[in-house]
């Protein structure tokens, strides 16, 4: 058979498969509409329907990954299903999600990775504004960065948890690749300024020291903001990611300039919705202890005694007195798990204050 004939036959097969996929996706979407109808029917007076179910979404994606036999890899397959579910949810309720903007930030990429592309996303100028937007009920959820594997905690986010009553409903991790970007009027040899967010400048510190030791580094509100400036400014460069490069039409002078190849950022989804257990969850709490010898030890003992895996502990000034601190702790398990419940009860007896920020499914994608 000639190449043209072989391609023709294969494309006939692809067309017929696409028709089946189309029918199946439409069936699934109709099912989601039915789910919405059932959720509305069974409401108690005064109750609002809960359309978005992170625990169910986590299960669906994991199930797909378990069943997947290739040739598409698990992440790729889950990404496709992520988008199908996002479209189905939008039929039930179009979710509004605020994120740390402007458009083109890694936080926007994290929001899309977690919720899919069918949400209405709203860029905010600062982390605290994302929190306020959620608290005010102007959006269903917010997305904020919380820690970077190279640079550590994002303190604005931790401090915002001290000021707002909010629930963590999910997490997502993003591999962060930074590029050195320039506009069409800039030549590499003429670069006199490099703009980026302070965290991104820090994540590329060694590379900058080696390649542009005498060039001024200017910290701006976000790397998308840096890309935006560079578009209209001669002889300057920005450090930002792919989305910002595309959005502002910049070219890459050098790709992947982050000092650590595994550079990743973890983001949190914040809202007002408690998430039921999935069996593979994490919990975040804030604890403050009295300032006495052994307090930190007492804080950690119940976790060790019950075999609970701590995934992170961070200290921040408490804002209620000089040299007093609060601990942000993440651990494996859900606050409704009997073992976790026992630990939290024990802790609340030792602690000056303890607040559960939320239990949520471990990141799937
Ligand atoms: O199972 C549900 O509760 C649904 O609403 C359906 C569905 C889906 O498309 O699978 C859609 C949105 C939810 O966030 C979870 C799952």
């Amino acid at each position: 058979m000639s190449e043209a004939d072989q391609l023709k036959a294969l494309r006939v097969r692809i067309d017929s498969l696409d028709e089946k996929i189309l029918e199946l996706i439409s069936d699934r979407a109709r099912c989601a509409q039915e789910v919405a109808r059932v959720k509305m029917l069974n409401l108690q007076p005064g109750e609002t329907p809960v359309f978005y179910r992170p625990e169910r979404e986590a299960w669906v994606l994991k199930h797909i990954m378990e069943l997947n036999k290739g040739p598409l890899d698990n992440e790729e397959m889950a990404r496709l299903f992520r988008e199908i579910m996002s479209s189905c949810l939008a039929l039930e309720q179009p979710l509004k999600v605020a994120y740390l903007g402007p458009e083109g930030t890694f936080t926007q990429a994290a929001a899309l990775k977690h919720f899919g592309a069918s949400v209405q996303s709203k860029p905010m100028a600062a982390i605290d504004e994302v929190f306020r937007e959620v608290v005010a009920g102007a959006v269903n959820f917010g997305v904020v960065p919380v820690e970077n594997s190279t640079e550590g905690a994002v303190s604005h986010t931790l401090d915002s948890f001290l000021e707002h009553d909010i629930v963590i409903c999910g997490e997502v991790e993003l591999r962060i690749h930074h590029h050195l970007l320039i506009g069409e009027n800039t030549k590499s040899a003429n670069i006199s300024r490099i703009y980026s967010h302070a965290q991104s400048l820090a994540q590329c510190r060694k590379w900058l020291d080696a390649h542009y030791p005498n060039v001024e580094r200017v910290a701006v509100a976000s790397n998308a903001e840096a890309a935006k400036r560079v578009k209209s400014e001669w002889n300057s460069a920005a450090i930002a990611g792919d989305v910002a490069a595309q959005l502002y039409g910049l070219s890459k002078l050098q790709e992947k300039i982050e000092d650590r190849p595994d550079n990743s950022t973890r983001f949190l989804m914040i809202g007002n919705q408690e998430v039921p257990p999935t069996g593979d969850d994490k919990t975040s709490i804030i604890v403050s202890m009295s300032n006495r010898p052994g307090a930190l030890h007492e804080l950690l003992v119940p976790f060790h005694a019950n075999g609970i895996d701590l995934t992170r502990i961070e200290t921040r000034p408490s804002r209620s007195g000089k040299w007093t601190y609060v601990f942000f702790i993440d651990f494996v398990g859900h606050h409704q798990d009997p073992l976790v419940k026992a630990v939290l009860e024990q802790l609340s007896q030792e602690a000056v204050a303890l607040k559960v920020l939320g239990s949520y499914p471990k990141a799937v994608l």
Side-chain angles (χ1 to χ4, degrees):
M1 229 198 288
S2 68
E3 183 191 322
D5 284 343
Q6 283 182 55
L7 285 182
K8 199 172 165 196
L10 285 167
R11 285 174 181 158
V12 167
R13 262 177 70 194
I14 286 180
D15 289 346
S16 137
L17 288 167
D18 282 350
E19 283 161 27
K20 285 187 193 142
I21 295 170
L22 172 67
E23 217 169 287
L24 290 172
I25 292 177
S26 302
D27 261 0
R28 192 190 192 286
R30 276 187 286 273
C31 241
Q33 285 177 314
E34 196 55 24
V35 167
R37 204 183 59 79
V38 171
K39 284 177 185 170
M40 298 284 281
L41 268 182
N42 294 299
L43 285 181
Q44 300 301 314
E47 232 181 14
T48 46
V50 184
F51 295 112
Y52 174 60
R53 298 285 169 90
E55 73 288 4
R56 170 69 184 160
E57 296 208 349
W59 188 91
V60 170
L61 296 179
K62 272 197 211 149
H63 182 59
I64 290 298
M65 287 163 121
E66 275 161 23
L67 290 181
N68 181 39
K69 295 195 178 77
L72 293 181
D73 71 26
N74 280 354
E75 278 225 0
E76 198 59 35
M77 193 56 102
R79 217 174 44 75
L80 293 173
F81 276 80
R82 160 70 288 154
E83 289 306 330
I84 293 174
M85 250 194 311
S86 181
S87 306
C88 288
L89 175 62
L91 280 179
E92 294 187 42
Q93 174 202 32
L95 277 192
K96 288 194 201 122
V97 176
Y99 65 91
L100 176 63
E103 254 193 286
T105 55
F106 287 111
T107 313
Q108 183 186 26
L112 294 181
K113 184 175 179 189
H114 187 81
F115 290 105
S118 299
V119 292
Q120 295 170 6
S121 55
K122 187 173 178 189
M124 307 305 296
I127 287 174
D128 192 57
E129 282 185 32
V130 178
F131 276 76
R132 278 193 264 139
E133 203 70 356
V134 176
V135 171
V139 293
N140 305 94
F141 296 97
V143 184
V144 288
V146 67
E147 59 175 325
N148 173 266
S149 59
T150 313
E151 276 305 296
V154 180
S155 45
H156 285 328
T157 295
L158 297 184
D159 292 344
S160 295
F161 279 114
L162 298 175
E163 279 164 26
H164 300 281
D165 235 350
I166 220 147
V167 180
I168 302 176
C169 353
E171 61 165 7
V172 71
E173 204 180 296
L174 210 63
R175 185 63 74 85
I176 304 289
H177 293 304
H178 291 304
H179 317 303
L180 190 70
L181 307 173
I182 50 169
E184 53 192 7
N185 295 321
T186 298
K187 290 200 171 59
S188 159
N190 298 342
I191 292 174
S192 60
R193 242 178 211 187
I194 298 178
Y195 292 105
S196 197
H197 188 270
Q199 278 251 350
S200 310
L201 289 169
Q203 289 162 29
C204 305
R205 190 182 295 126
K206 283 191 195 146
W207 188 89
L208 287 169
D209 289 347
H211 296 86
Y212 290 92
N214 301 317
V215 170
E216 187 189 3
R217 298 171 201 177
V218 185
V220 291
S222 69
N223 21 34
E225 168 66 30
K228 199 172 170 182
R229 281 197 191 203
V230 160
K231 186 169 175 54
S232 53
E233 196 177 299
W234 287 38
N235 300 334
S236 64
I239 295 177
D242 285 313
V243 183
Q246 265 173 22
L247 193 65
Y248 296 104
L250 301 177
S251 51
K252 290 181 193 169
L253 197 56
Q254 186 71 47
E255 274 194 308
K256 299 186 180 170
I257 60 169
E258 60 276 5
D259 294 334
R260 292 186 57 94
D262 57 357
N263 186 37
S264 302
T265 298
R266 186 170 160 250
F267 299 83
L268 295 177
M269 314 301 133
I270 54 173
N272 302 302
Q273 186 178 325
E274 288 271 347
V275 185
T278 66
D280 194 13
D281 304 296
K282 265 163 116 175
T283 295
S284 300
I285 60 171
I286 308 180
V287 196
S288 61
M289 303 293 281
S290 62
N291 209 347
R292 61 186 149 81
L296 180 58
H297 175 75
E298 281 166 26
L299 171 67
L300 298 177
V301 163
F303 289 101
H304 175 65
N306 289 282
I308 289 183
D309 186 9
L310 292 186
T311 54
R312 190 167 77 113
I313 178 161
E314 209 80 61
T315 313
R316 290 293 299 155
S318 74
R319 300 187 152 198
S320 60
K322 197 171 151 198
W323 310 130
T324 60
Y325 299 93
V326 291
F327 299 100
F328 285 81
I329 300 178
D330 289 353
F331 56 88
V332 174
H334 192 284
H335 70 87
Q336 290 175 17
D337 298 345
L339 209 58
V340 173
K341 253 187 175 169
V343 168
L344 292 177
E345 263 159 36
Q346 209 176 322
L347 270 186
S348 59
Q349 282 163 20
E350 312 280 355
V352 173
L354 183 149
K355 185 172 161 196
V356 177
L357 295 175
S359 293
Y360 45 91
K362 270 194 209 164
V364 179
L365 279 176

